[in-house]
Amino acid sequence: MLLYADVYLLIFSLGLQAEGKLNSTESVRLVGGDSRCAGSLELKHQGDWKQVSDTHWNLKKAAVACKELDCGSAVSVGWRDESSDRSVWKIKYDCVQSGSALRECARSDSSSTIVDLNCSVKPISDIIFDIIYDSYCFFSESVRLVNGTSLCSGRLEVKTNKSPQRWSSVCEADFDQQDAEVVCRELGCGAPSVLQGVHYGEVEAPMWTKKFQCGGQESALLDCGSSGSERNVTCSPGKVVGLTCSEPVRLVGGDSRCAGIVELKHLDWRTVINYDITPDTAAAICKQLDCGSAVSADGKEESSYRDMWRVSSDCVQSGNVLRDCVTPRHFHIALNLTCSVKPIRDILYDNLFQPNISVSSSMDGASEAQQQSFRVFMGSTFNVSCSIQPQYPGGSFQLTFTSLNSAHNYTQPAVNHSAHFLFPAAKAVHHGSYSCVYHYSVLSHNFSSESRLLSLTVSDLLFPPNISLDGDSEAQQQGFRVFRGSIFNISCFIQPQYPGGSFQLTFTSSNSAHNYTMPAVNHSAHFLFPAAEPAHQGSYSCVYHVSVLSHNFSCESRLLSLTIIDPTLIIRAVVLPLTLLLVNAALYLYCKASRGQNLGMQENIELDYYNLGVSAPE
């Protein structure tokens, strides 16, 4: 009993809220109609309730009023003439288009024309559901296209039908052309014109976990079958379904598919009147019909007045789609439009999907279809894949490769709408730009469509190792010198990249070659030589070897030149010249001293003879 009471109280409280919601319109109301969602539109602004007057109202404007009235969609909009002018509010169209409320777009004016509006009435259950939605953030739609230019284009999102309800994006692999037809029908749009992975903003929503299996005739996507088991799905932004549906417009009664009376569907199919049709509007209609340029646009008088659509050219020129720019009118002159007929070749070409290009490598096994550049390692196996959305059977793919000084083309038939080009060993010549060109022939016409460019870089797997010499050595411009008999150590090391591996020290002299191998410990190895000998003189290099994913790779350092010198030769070269220099200096000093003594003795003898008064003998 408690449960029933709780349910009753919940319904009663929701009913009170709904009743308040029905009766509470702060600034907009409809009066004099058959229901709360029909009648003359009145707006409260600056404290005054006034009727709204505007002969240029369309369903897009009316939708804003219906929403503020908490009614359904806009069914029709018209106007009636009063007996005399009165003070009214007029609504600025640009202001409404920017998303502002009606009262923020009102200006005072005087007119005798009053807007009559008819909105669909929301059932009480929908109003109660809206209240629940306001509290618990439930959604009422099941599919939507987001971040596009209109309701009929954007990234596809589907609402999960289990709690908690949330929007999920859909991967291309789980969606096809028949599924797209159902989505466009459910949204009230025309047939799908573009179906491919397009990036409509960042993808933050989760992925839909099942593959859709529509027959193409269902009225809603969630009515279609799906794969039985759920799975974890991840796909890159460019692989998420992007969809563009055509606008529901057609030409009837003409001599070709691009000529006749214009009819447009908004809730129902109605004829478009020949009023306010500019060349830009006519061109927009021809474009939606997938015809050529507008040739002529004139009026065709009907036998009687009936409900038609008026298209606002200002609205179309602002970038809006046609059905957002229509206003219901009771009129008798229809728009008769003639567009040039596109050749079948152009139609097929315009609707040919763009192929995708992807690369996978044996080193990581991962495909990088959406990157603008991709790196493969020298010697590794890589595969370039071309694929296209299922559209036509057969065809072929041509892989075009362009480098700085050459160009190559490889061709394969399309099998299951794809082709795979295998390269067994990456080389420097594979560095360049790649693109996939899909070729198809239909009705004796040849068509082709090219993918985006993918830049491929071929690089070494490893950083080059370094080599150094430790010990009693001298660095020279051409290399290192080590004294004979001294200890020296040659070290090999590499930047941390992969664990393990080994170093091979390669030594080459004028008449021999030797290799020494040690495991890499902390990305380095040290080769010790206890006593330097002349046989150690020559060139040394470090070669690093490592195995990655069952592939063996190696990379070599620069060369280090080593010279062994004998210290005894240095001693001989220094001592002998020094000895000779000292001997020469001693002889010089001796000779100088001896000459000085002889001169002194001669001077003393001459002095003695002088004192005696005789001359010294000759």
Side-chain angles (χ1 to χ4, degrees):
M1 295 296 294
L2 182 61
L3 176 62
Y4 290 119
D6 290 340
V7 172
Y8 176 79
L9 288 174
L10 174 62
I11 295 175
F12 180 74
S13 61
L14 290 177
L16 290 177
Q17 293 182 46
E19 183 180 358
K21 197 167 187 179
L22 288 172
N23 296 327
S24 61
T25 51
E26 296 180 357
S27 58
V28 183
R29 67 188 181 191
L30 295 174
V31 296
D34 297 331
S35 70
R36 65 179 187 86
C37 293
S40 299
L41 180 61
E42 294 186 354
L43 178 70
K44 184 179 182 182
H45 182 52
Q46 297 176 348
D48 293 332
W49 282 101
K50 296 180 183 178
Q51 292 175 314
V52 174
S53 173
D54 201 334
T55 58
H56 296 285
W57 267 61
N58 52 43
L59 289 181
K60 190 163 187 178
K61 267 189 183 182
V64 177
C66 291
K67 183 178 180 181
E68 291 191 26
L69 288 161
D70 196 35
C71 296
S73 58
V75 177
S76 65
V77 59
W79 50 90
R80 56 184 174 83
D81 289 325
E82 298 289 341
S83 57
S84 60
D85 287 351
R86 61 189 63 194
S87 179
V88 295
W89 296 120
K90 285 200 173 181
I91 309 298
K92 301 176 183 176
Y93 177 75
D94 292 341
C95 180
V96 173
Q97 190 180 24
S98 67
S100 300
L102 289 175
R103 64 177 178 179
E104 297 173 356
C105 305
R107 63 179 178 85
S108 183
D109 203 343
S110 178
S111 176
S112 62
T113 304
I114 306 302
V115 171
D116 279 336
L117 182 60
N118 184 17
C119 309
S120 62
V121 180
K122 276 189 177 181
I124 188 67
S125 58
D126 288 353
I127 299 173
I128 294 175
F129 184 84
D130 288 345
I131 297 171
I132 299 174
Y133 165 76
D134 293 339
S135 302
Y136 299 99
C137 299
F138 288 163
F139 294 92
S140 59
E141 301 92 348
S142 60
V143 295
R144 64 184 182 186
L145 299 176
V146 299
N147 295 341
T149 57
S150 72
L151 172 71
C152 296
S153 67
R155 185 180 74 248
L156 175 63
E157 288 188 351
V158 184
K159 186 191 70 175
T160 58
N161 52 11
K162 61 182 181 180
S163 180
Q165 291 179 322
R166 60 184 181 180
W167 290 103
S168 299
S169 297
V170 180
C171 285
E172 281 185 321
D174 297 331
F175 200 81
D176 60 20
Q177 187 74 13
Q178 290 177 315
D179 303 331
E181 291 174 2
V182 175
V183 170
C184 291
R185 184 182 303 112
E186 184 175 356
L187 292 172
C189 303
S193 56
V194 177
L195 169 60
Q196 65 183 85
V198 180
H199 194 179
Y200 285 102
E202 295 298 325
V203 180
E204 298 179 355
M207 294 298 120
W208 190 259
T209 57
K210 292 185 179 182
K211 180 180 178 64
F212 288 106
Q213 297 174 341
C214 295
Q217 304 302 320
E218 295 86 351
S219 59
L221 185 63
L222 294 183
D223 291 341
C224 298
S226 62
S227 58
S229 59
E230 294 189 359
R231 65 197 193 284
N232 291 326
V233 178
T234 57
C235 56
S236 54
K239 286 293 185 180
V240 172
V241 171
L243 180 60
T244 300
C245 308
S246 61
E247 288 296 315
V249 60
R250 65 190 181 191
L251 297 176
V252 296
D255 297 331
S256 71
R257 67 178 187 87
C258 293
I261 301 299
V262 181
E263 292 186 353
L264 190 145
K265 183 181 180 181
H266 186 90
L267 300 179
D268 58 355
W269 285 100
R270 296 186 189 179
T271 302
V272 175
I273 69 172
N274 181 34
Y275 180 81
D276 190 29
I277 299 297
T278 65
D280 289 340
T281 303
I285 297 174
C286 291
K287 182 179 180 181
Q288 290 296 332
L289 291 164
D290 200 23
C291 296
S293 57
V295 177
S296 65
D298 54 27
K300 182 178 180 181
E301 189 168 355
E302 301 283 339
S303 58
S304 61
Y305 279 79
R306 57 193 177 95
D307 290 334
M308 298 183 179
W309 294 122
R310 172 184 175 243
V311 176
S312 170
S313 292
D314 291 340
C315 176
V316 174
Q317 291 172 14
S318 298
N320 297 294
V321 295
L322 289 172
R323 67 172 180 172
D324 284 344
C325 299
V326 298
T327 302
R329 282 291 180 92
H330 203 62
F331 210 63
H332 66 291
I333 301 178
L335 173 61
N336 186 35
L337 179 64
T338 301
C339 311
S340 61
V341 180
K342 270 190 178 181
I344 187 66
R345 175 186 177 89
D346 292 345
I347 296 172
L348 292 174
Y349 182 80
D350 290 345
N351 288 279
L352 189 63
F353 293 147
Q354 182 186 32
N356 295 316
I357 184 170
S358 64
V359 178
S360 60
S361 169
S362 62
M363 292 305 301
D364 53 21
S367 176
E368 299 289 337
Q370 297 306 318
Q371 291 186 359
Q372 295 301 316
S373 62
F374 188 82
R375 184 179 71 166
V376 297
F377 295 113
M378 193 78 71
S380 65
T381 300
F382 70 96
N383 184 76
V384 179
S385 297
C386 303
S387 62
I388 196 167
Q389 287 291 324
Q391 197 174 12
Y392 304 108
S396 63
F397 284 101
Q398 176 184 338
L399 180 66
T400 300
F401 160 59
T402 306
S403 64
L404 290 176
N405 52 11
S406 64
H408 303 276
N409 292 313
Y410 312 92
T411 302
Q412 286 191 28
V415 179
N416 294 327
H417 312 288
S418 62
H420 307 280
F421 299 85
L422 179 66
F423 295 82
K427 301 177 182 179
V429 295
H430 294 138
H431 181 94
S433 297
Y434 293 76
S435 67
C436 293
V437 181
Y438 177 66
H439 296 277
Y440 183 72
S441 178
V442 59
L443 299 177
S444 300
H445 294 285
N446 296 319
F447 303 92
S448 62
S449 178
E450 188 172 7
S451 72
R452 62 181 177 82
L453 283 177
L454 185 144
S455 177
L456 186 71
T457 302
V458 180
S459 63
D460 291 328
L461 175 74
L462 304 172
F463 295 134
N466 295 313
I467 186 170
S468 65
L469 178 66
D470 302 321
D472 188 10
S473 63
E474 294 181 353
Q476 301 294 318
Q477 185 176 4
Q478 299 300 322
F480 288 85
R481 296 196 308 176
V482 175
F483 293 106
R484 182 177 181 178
S486 65
I487 299 173
F488 70 95
N489 182 74
I490 295 181
S491 297
C492 302
F493 57 95
I494 194 168
Q495 292 290 328
Q497 233 180 330
Y498 303 99
S502 63
F503 284 99
Q504 176 184 335
L505 181 66
T506 299
F507 162 61
T508 305
S509 66
S510 59
N511 54 9
S512 65
H514 301 278
N515 292 315
Y516 312 93
T517 301
M518 290 182 66
V521 179
N522 294 328
H523 310 288
S524 63
H526 307 279
F527 298 86
L528 179 65
F529 295 83
E533 298 294 339
H536 295 140
Q537 180 168 298
S539 298
Y540 293 79
S541 69
C542 293
V543 181
Y544 177 66
H545 299 274
V546 67
S547 179
V548 181
L549 297 176
S550 301
H551 290 76
N552 296 319
F553 298 91
S554 62
C555 190
E556 188 173 7
S557 72
R558 63 178 178 84
L559 287 177
L560 185 147
S561 179
L562 185 64
T563 303
I564 307 299
I565 58 176
D566 192 341
T568 60
L569 296 177
I570 296 178
I571 293 174
R572 291 175 184 174
V574 174
V575 172
L576 183 58
L578 183 59
T579 301
L580 292 174
L581 178 63
L582 292 174
V583 171
N584 289 332
L587 289 174
Y588 171 78
L589 293 174
Y590 174 76
C591 293
K592 185 176 182 180
S594 298
R595 184 181 179 187
Q597 289 178 359
N598 293 333
L599 289 174
M601 290 176 61
Q602 185 177 357
E603 289 176 357
N604 289 336
I605 293 173
E606 290 177 353
L607 183 58
D608 291 340
Y609 279 102
Y610 176 78
N611 291 334
L612 293 173
V614 296
S615 299
E618 294 295 330

